[in-house]
Amino acid sequence: MAIDRDEVVRAAVRILDDYGLADLSMRRLADSLGVKAGALYWHVANKQSLLAAVADQVTGELPDPVGPPRAALVDWASGLRAVLLAHRDSAELVATALASGLCERNPLEGVESVFGGLLPQPRASWAAAALMHQVLGHVAHEQNVRLFRELGHVEGVEQDAGDEAFVFAVTALVDGLLAGAGNSEE
C-alpha cells in the first residue's frame, strides 16, 4: 500500500484524538496505515519530526489575528484554545513540538506581527510567546481535568469557569502587554 506524508500525518492526528499523545507510537501509526513501521521513515525522519508535523497540522487550523490589536489578540487566543481543545493532548503536543524547533509552521507569526506594530524586537516576540504560553497552559489544565473526569477521578479535581475564566485571563494578559506598549486600543 502506497502512503504519502499527508496521509501519515492525518492518521497520527486520528490516533492522537482517539488514544492520546502517550499512545501515539510509530508502531500503532504503521498498523493503522497497514504498513511496517519502517515505511513511515520515508515520510518523517523520526518520532519528533512526526510530532512536529502533527502540531503543524493542528495549529494550521488557526486563522491569523485580524482587527484592532486587543480584539485580534483575544480572538486569536480563543481560536487557538478552540483548535487545541478539539484534539486530545494537543496543548502538550504543541508545546513540546514548538520547543523542539522542528515545526515548519510558526503559529505565532501573525501574533508577532500585531505586537511588532506596537513593540520593538525582541519584546514583540516575547509578548507573542507569553500569549501562546498562557493559552497552552490553560488548555493543558483543561485537558488534564477532562482526562481525570473520564477516568472517574472527579473528587478533588479543580473545576474552572471554562470560557469565562479563559477570556478573563487572556484579556488581562493582553491588556497588560498592550499597556506596556503604550496602547490600550480596543
Side-chain angles (χ1 to χ4, degrees):
M1 172 184 195
I3 57 172
D4 63 23
R5 188 175 195 278
D6 289 340
E7 188 176 0
V8 169
V9 173
R10 283 192 306 272
V13 171
R14 284 191 302 273
I15 291 170
L16 176 72
D17 291 345
D18 292 344
Y19 301 102
L21 185 57
D23 289 325
L24 176 53
S25 68
M26 298 302 268
R27 182 176 304 259
R28 176 171 272 184
L29 178 57
D31 288 347
S32 77
L33 292 166
V35 299
K36 301 269 188 212
L40 298 175
Y41 296 103
W42 287 98
H43 307 287
V44 292
N46 50 42
K47 184 167 180 189
Q48 292 74 27
S49 296
L50 171 69
L51 296 179
V54 172
D56 285 338
Q57 178 80 22
V58 168
T59 60
E61 300 171 18
L62 180 65
D64 284 332
V66 294
R70 182 177 192 251
L73 294 167
V74 171
D75 289 347
W76 177 87
S78 295
L80 177 59
R81 175 177 174 249
V83 164
L84 294 173
L85 286 174
H87 300 282
R88 185 175 179 169
D89 296 338
S90 60
E92 179 183 351
L93 168 79
V94 170
T96 301
L98 289 174
S100 77
L102 295 173
C103 292
E104 293 179 7
R105 182 179 186 283
N106 178 5
L108 290 177
E109 197 170 289
V111 176
E112 287 177 357
S113 292
V114 172
F115 282 118
L118 306 168
L119 294 167
Q121 284 297 348
R123 291 182 178 188
S125 293
W126 297 342
L131 184 56
M132 171 70 95
H133 294 152
Q134 169 66 34
V135 177
L136 290 173
H138 192 99
V139 172
H141 176 78
E142 287 181 286
Q143 289 178 328
N144 285 321
V145 167
R146 182 186 297 169
L147 173 64
F148 283 111
R149 284 185 186 143
E150 288 172 4
L151 295 173
H153 300 290
V154 291
E155 205 171 305
V157 173
E158 180 184 330
Q159 307 296 316
D160 63 43
D163 295 342
E164 188 177 352
F166 176 80
V167 171
F168 171 81
V170 165
T171 302
L173 177 61
V174 167
D175 286 347
L177 293 168
L178 292 177
N183 184 341
S184 59
E185 181 180 339
E186 295 291 321

